[in-house]
């Protein structure tokens, strides 16, 4: 069994961008854990603010939504409540993330890309995720558990890919679990406007997936996909 660690800046990010990968992992029996750094309570809960809800109620609402989505996907979820808009980087937060790495011992890590001119919380989360990964590999770092190996890191797709210079080099076929992803998205009514956006995006990435898979695989016309960028080189004994 493998293990998947997803570092998400806000409560909804892991659902829109990586729910397909999470559902595939849990469907094959792997463990999946989402580390949610904030609830997206300030910057991604506009409807609740307009309705006059107080901060703590908004946090509780977003926690419940993200927890329900994680349950649909079969994933564990941990909330750090580090705040958003801005999500501030700190040694203490990185240290806490190191301890999560050591506990999960992930075989794959998913997080935000390092550039997003629309949302500084996203690259902040990515920078801390990468720093924590390196520290978790250090045998002398003072944290419980064994030192990490070198799990590959994949950046999931930002909301504005062109402006974020996002050029995917991995297309993941999520057709078999897209219904599960859609159910997880529908656990997030605070951002209902995203449901159809990310359904349409999965269709477009599915078209690109078929185009790059070659002409003879017989993929169905309704192939759905997620796009990723692999940060570190792939190590292989055979080019394919």
């Amino acid at each position: 069994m493998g293990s998947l660690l997803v570092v998400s800046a806000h409560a909804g990010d892991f659902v829109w961008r990586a729910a397909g990968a999470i559902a595939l992992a849990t469907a094959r029996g792997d463990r999946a854990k989402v580390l949610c750094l904030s609830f997206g309570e300030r910057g991604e809960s506009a409807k609740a603010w307009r309705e006059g809800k107080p901060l703590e109620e908004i946090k509780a609402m977003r926690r419940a939504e993200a927890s329900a989505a994680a349950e649909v996907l079969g994933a564990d979820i941990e909330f750090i409540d580090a705040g958003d808009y801005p999500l501030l980087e700190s040694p203490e937060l990185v240290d806490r993330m190191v301890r999560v790495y050591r506990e999960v011992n992930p075989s794959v890590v998913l997080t935000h890309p390092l550039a997003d001119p629309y949302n500084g919380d996203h690259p902040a989360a990515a920078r801390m995720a990468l720093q924590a990964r390196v520290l978790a590999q250090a045998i002398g770092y003072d944290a419980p558990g064994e030192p990490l190996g070198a799990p590959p890191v994949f950046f999931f797709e930002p909301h504005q890919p062109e402006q974020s210079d996002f050029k995917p080099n991995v297309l993941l076929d999520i057709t078999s679990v897209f219904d599960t992803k859609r159910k997880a998205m529908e656990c997030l009514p605070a951002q209902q406007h995203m449901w159809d956006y990310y359904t349409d995006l999965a269709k477009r990435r599915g078209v690109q997936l078929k185009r790059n898979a070659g002409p003879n695989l017989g993929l169905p016309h309704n192939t759905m996909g997620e796009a990723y960028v692999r940060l570190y080189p792939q190590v292989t004994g055979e080019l394919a």
Side-chain angles (χ1 to χ4, degrees):
M1 290 175 60
S3 54
L4 174 68
L5 176 62
V6 184
V7 179
S8 181
H10 309 111
D13 293 332
F14 75 95
V15 182
W16 317 126
R17 280 93 179 193
I22 296 168
L24 285 171
T26 58
R28 62 177 175 261
D30 290 352
R31 179 189 181 189
K33 176 160 184 174
V34 177
L35 182 62
C36 202
L37 303 185
S38 83
F39 300 112
E41 65 271 14
R42 297 187 184 276
E44 302 193 349
S45 304
K47 180 181 177 183
W49 284 106
R50 293 190 184 104
E51 292 172 350
K53 290 183 168 58
L55 178 61
E56 291 307 314
E57 183 178 343
I58 294 172
K59 285 185 178 184
M61 178 187 70
R62 297 311 308 274
R63 175 193 279 270
E65 290 180 358
S67 297
E71 184 175 1
V72 166
L73 298 171
D76 302 326
I77 189 164
E78 179 178 337
F79 299 96
I80 290 186
D81 193 12
D84 71 323
Y85 284 73
L87 172 63
L88 299 177
E89 300 171 63
S90 71
E92 294 77 16
L93 190 48
V94 171
D95 179 72
R96 186 160 176 186
M97 294 169 71
V98 170
R99 294 164 189 272
V100 172
Y101 270 98
R102 289 276 182 91
E103 185 267 323
V104 176
N105 189 22
S107 45
V108 174
V109 177
L110 307 181
T111 193
H112 301 267
L114 290 166
D116 189 337
Y118 293 89
N119 194 321
D121 291 358
H122 295 162
R127 288 190 296 267
M128 288 189 287
L130 295 177
Q131 185 180 1
R133 175 186 175 277
V134 171
L135 295 177
Q137 292 178 285
I139 192 169
Y141 190 88
D142 186 15
E146 294 298 317
L148 227 60
V153 176
F154 296 87
F155 296 143
F156 43 64
E157 184 162 6
H159 193 64
Q160 304 281 357
E162 295 84 2
Q163 283 73 26
S164 300
D165 198 29
F166 182 81
K167 299 178 181 178
N169 54 23
V170 177
L171 295 169
L172 182 67
D173 188 342
I174 63 167
T175 310
S176 63
V177 295
F178 183 76
D179 287 347
T180 304
K181 175 169 182 170
R182 178 73 192 203
K183 289 176 184 175
M185 290 195 291
E186 291 176 359
C187 292
L188 301 168
Q191 294 177 278
Q192 187 171 347
H193 61 285
M194 306 281 255
W195 298 356
D196 288 341
Y197 177 92
Y198 279 96
T199 297
D200 291 341
L201 179 60
K203 292 177 183 177
R204 294 197 300 275
R205 291 308 188 190
V207 170
Q208 295 166 357
L209 189 155
K210 289 189 293 182
R211 178 64 180 83
N212 285 277
N216 300 315
L217 294 185
L219 294 174
H221 73 278
N222 62 339
T223 297
M224 307 292 266
E226 284 177 345
Y228 293 87
V229 169
R230 183 176 180 128
L231 176 60
Y232 299 106
Q234 179 183 2
V235 178
T236 180
E238 179 182 356
L239 293 176

